[in-house]
Amino acid sequence: MVLFLLAIAVLAGLYMAWNIGANDVANAMATSVGSKALTLKQALIVAAIFEFAGAILAGSHVAETVRQGIVETDAFPNYHLLMLGMLGSLLAAGIWLHVCTLFGLPVSTTHSIVGAVVGFALVQLGASGLHWGKVATITVSWIISPILGALIAFITFWFILKVILDSRHPRLRVRVLAPFLIGLVAFILTLSMVFKGLKNLHLDLGLWQAILVALGVAAVCTLISAFGLGRIKIGVKNSHFGYVERNFRYLQIVTACYVAFAHGANDNANAVGPMASVISLWRTHEVMSKVPIPVWVLALGGVGIVIGLATLGYKVMATVGEKITELTPSRGFSAEFGAATTVLLASKMGLPISTTHTLVGAVIGVGLARGLGLLNLRILRDIVVSWFLTLPMAALISAGIYLLLRAVF
Amino acid sequence: MTVNVLGMLFGRSPFGPLQAHMAKVQECASHLRPFFENMIAGNQEAADAERKNILFLEHEADKVKNGIRDNLPRTVFLPVDRRDLLELLSIMDRIADSAEDAVIVASLKALPCPASICDPFLEFLDTVEKTVLAAGEVFESLDQLVEAAFSGPTARKVHETISEINRLEWESDKTQYRFGKLVLQHEEELGPVNTIMWMRLTQRVADLANASEKACDRLRLLLLV
């Protein structure tokens, strides 16, 4: 019986991961495909490697939050009920996502799963069974993350505009600055992996050690890219900013990896969080909240995401990529940098946020700096509507499924 | 499964179509000279063909214009003010409208074309064409302006070119004044109706230069210099 439930939970978790790989990753990677920084095939490879790496190397904090940060897991009378609840929340999130898609509402996978976890906990434990502080922090982070993404993207593009595009010698400026921008991304990525990273991979350095290691990696990356980018030929009869944009095309490959990594780190938790609960309950037969999630469970989610990418994700990626071909690499770089930095920051803080909504914020940030030809802001209204609907609706569905499961098993 | 948010966020930039519209307007105006040359030479059939070309191209420009307008609902976000952009578009369209009006006035009735009027007229047309062409060139750098977010050296360069167009339009104003006086000197030879038609035609042709300058002035409002 328990084994049967475990199997369903793993399947539901894998389905969720598959869904993330098939749909959400497309949004994360589309900006690179749209600006032609990456071909579809390259985007697929980058996404597969870095989603997986992000899921394992930086994804544990968020997964822990979804598993036990929201619910007072100790308060559950027995492990069986918690298992049913987590299973139910996976199913509820899946159903809510399906319903919203039918109505064309841009709902977030992350928001759905958090709502669902809140739902079954309310039924079983009442209001006291929830860590309301954490729930409030998470909800606030949903509003702050797109704004922060917009702010970082705005500043990034403003910097590129003022220092490179608006200078008298854009080509010279980009040649000098591009390697440092790559170094900056390398620094943040390395820092996110080694600072308070995974204990069992010995990736949990203290702040100063971590900064030192990250600076070293950044320096190496800066040097390598200075040599690599130096090989780009300065065309004579190219469009005005041709050379600059060609440089940013390479920079955008780096931010594409960055986005995929950050996305894997944050969104893997949607599948792995509830699944990890069920697995650890099955292994220990008791409600233990302080055991870290084993790497292989994180990897299981990563595998699900990669399978989703390979089976359906590349098609969705191609569709989204085609719609945003007017994005040039300098704009794409700014948007991706803003979004990925925000998402990674949230991941390190254990906050499950919506990667897609953050990316939307970042794109609008570039638009606010006059970087984009045209944006349809009507989608913002739909996103805000989805914010207000998702938490109560996913909670309601999850509560219903939980009551059903409790009656049957 | 989830909704394609980024695809919905990104729209088609209006600046490419805006350039396409200017290209159509330029093509339309470029048929004025062959039209008038044929009219003056008395090649009625060739002149008719050119007139039809102009009417057709004006209609084509209208279609591009409406396409741009349809694509700019109130919920869009642009690097420039939406109203400024729509105003700019409507002034650009006035260049093609004026070309259409000019050939219509010129072909309502057979206008007598004595050499003493026709040669100065073609000279006047020259100065107008120069202004129109210069405006066309300004709009060719619109894509670069978008890339530079309407600021920096690119914007300053466009700003300078527009000052040059102001001078060209002033030149065409002076030629228009001289040509108008010339037509009125031939009042008795032409007869009252033909005199009025020539004066109307002069005004329509001058409108091309006026609209070209106005379009550039509107564009200047979008620059951040």
Side-chain angles (χ1 to χ4, degrees), chain A residues 14-298:
Chain A
L14 278 176
Y15 170 70
M16 196 58 131
W18 175 85
N19 188 43
I20 294 164
N23 298 292
D24 291 4
V25 177
N27 283 327
M29 299 305 292
T31 41
S32 304
V33 178
S35 66
K36 297 189 181 61
L38 293 175
T39 64
L40 196 58
K41 209 173 175 182
Q42 291 166 336
L44 205 63
I45 295 166
V46 165
I49 295 172
F50 283 87
E51 288 276 343
F52 192 78
I56 294 183
L57 297 176
S60 56
H61 294 289
V62 188
E64 294 286 356
T65 301
V66 175
R67 186 175 68 147
Q68 66 206 9
I70 301 167
V71 186
E72 188 78 58
T73 41
D74 295 335
F76 267 79
N78 60 59
Y79 79 95
H80 189 71
L81 287 175
L82 185 57
M83 205 163 159
L84 290 180
M86 286 295 182
L87 173 60
S89 62
L90 277 172
L91 297 174
I95 291 170
W96 173 243
L97 284 171
H98 265 292
V99 171
C100 285
T101 309
L102 286 179
F103 288 100
L105 205 59
V107 73
S108 149
T109 320
T110 310
H111 297 186
S112 307
I113 204 82
V114 170
V117 170
V118 167
F120 83 83
L122 273 179
V123 169
Q124 182 62 44
L125 304 172
S128 63
L130 283 157
H131 295 142
W132 285 107
K134 193 72 183 175
V135 174
T137 313
I138 291 171
T139 316
V140 169
S141 77
W142 292 349
I143 300 165
I144 291 176
S145 53
I147 296 172
L148 186 61
L151 191 70
I152 299 175
F154 178 89
I155 292 170
T156 309
F157 184 66
W158 191 251
F159 171 79
I160 290 171
L161 191 64
K162 288 297 147 201
V163 177
I164 297 174
L165 296 176
D166 276 3
S167 75
R168 284 191 179 280
H169 306 286
R171 296 169 176 192
L172 211 67
R173 288 280 175 90
V174 81
R175 181 158 243 178
V176 174
L177 282 169
F180 286 100
L181 289 174
I182 289 182
L184 177 66
V185 176
F187 175 78
I188 300 173
L189 268 178
T190 315
L191 193 63
S192 79
M193 281 188 244
V194 295
F195 175 57
K196 288 189 183 172
L198 289 177
K199 282 198 174 62
N200 38 12
L201 290 183
H202 304 292
L203 285 173
D204 55 336
L205 304 176
L207 180 63
W208 292 109
Q209 279 173 300
I211 287 178
L212 225 62
V213 171
L215 274 178
V217 174
V220 172
C221 288
T222 307
L223 279 176
I224 293 173
S225 52
F227 279 110
L229 293 173
R231 294 163 68 105
I232 304 174
K233 288 196 175 62
I234 299 183
V236 187
K237 274 287 167 193
N238 264 299
S239 98
H240 196 53
F241 297 117
Y243 176 76
V244 176
E245 291 294 354
R246 257 177 298 142
N247 268 281
F248 272 106
R249 192 164 285 177
Y250 288 100
L251 291 186
Q252 218 193 336
I253 297 173
V254 179
T255 43
C257 302
Y258 186 22
V259 166
F261 185 89
H263 183 262
N266 208 286
D267 286 35
N268 187 36
N270 301 332
V272 161
M275 194 167 74
S277 281
V278 179
I279 290 172
S280 84
L281 292 165
W282 161 70
R283 278 158 53 113
T284 60
H285 278 244
E286 56 191 292
V287 181
M288 285 171 51
S289 55
K290 295 299 169 226
V291 182
I293 297 177
V295 176
W296 68 268
V297 177
L298 291 169

Side-chain angles (χ1 to χ4, degrees), chain B residues 50-85:
Chain B
E50 291 298 347
R51 190 193 70 219
K52 277 178 190 149
N53 275 336
I54 289 174
L55 298 194
F56 174 73
L57 286 165
E58 193 274 339
H59 180 59
E60 290 278 294
D62 267 350
K63 278 199 272 188
V64 179
K65 176 188 74 181
N66 289 328
I68 297 172
R69 283 182 179 168
D70 291 347
N71 203 21
L72 291 178
R74 265 176 228 286
T75 47
V76 299
F77 181 75
L78 299 158
V80 297
D81 188 279
R82 175 175 164 275
R83 277 167 305 175
D84 283 345
L85 195 74

Side-chain angles (χ1 to χ4, degrees), chain A residues 23 101 166 324 326 375-376, chain B residues 1 9-10 13 77 147 151:
Chain A
N23 298 292
T101 309
D166 276 3
I324 57 176
E326 304 210 18
L375 293 174
N376 285 316
Chain B
M1 194 175 79
L9 178 66
F10 279 89
S13 160
F77 181 75
E147 275 190 76
S151 59

Side-chain angles (χ1 to χ4, degrees), chain A residues 1-20:
Chain A
M1 177 68 122
V2 172
L3 216 57
F4 172 68
L5 285 175
L6 176 76
I8 296 180
V10 170
L11 280 179
L14 278 176
Y15 170 70
M16 196 58 131
W18 175 85
N19 188 43
I20 294 164

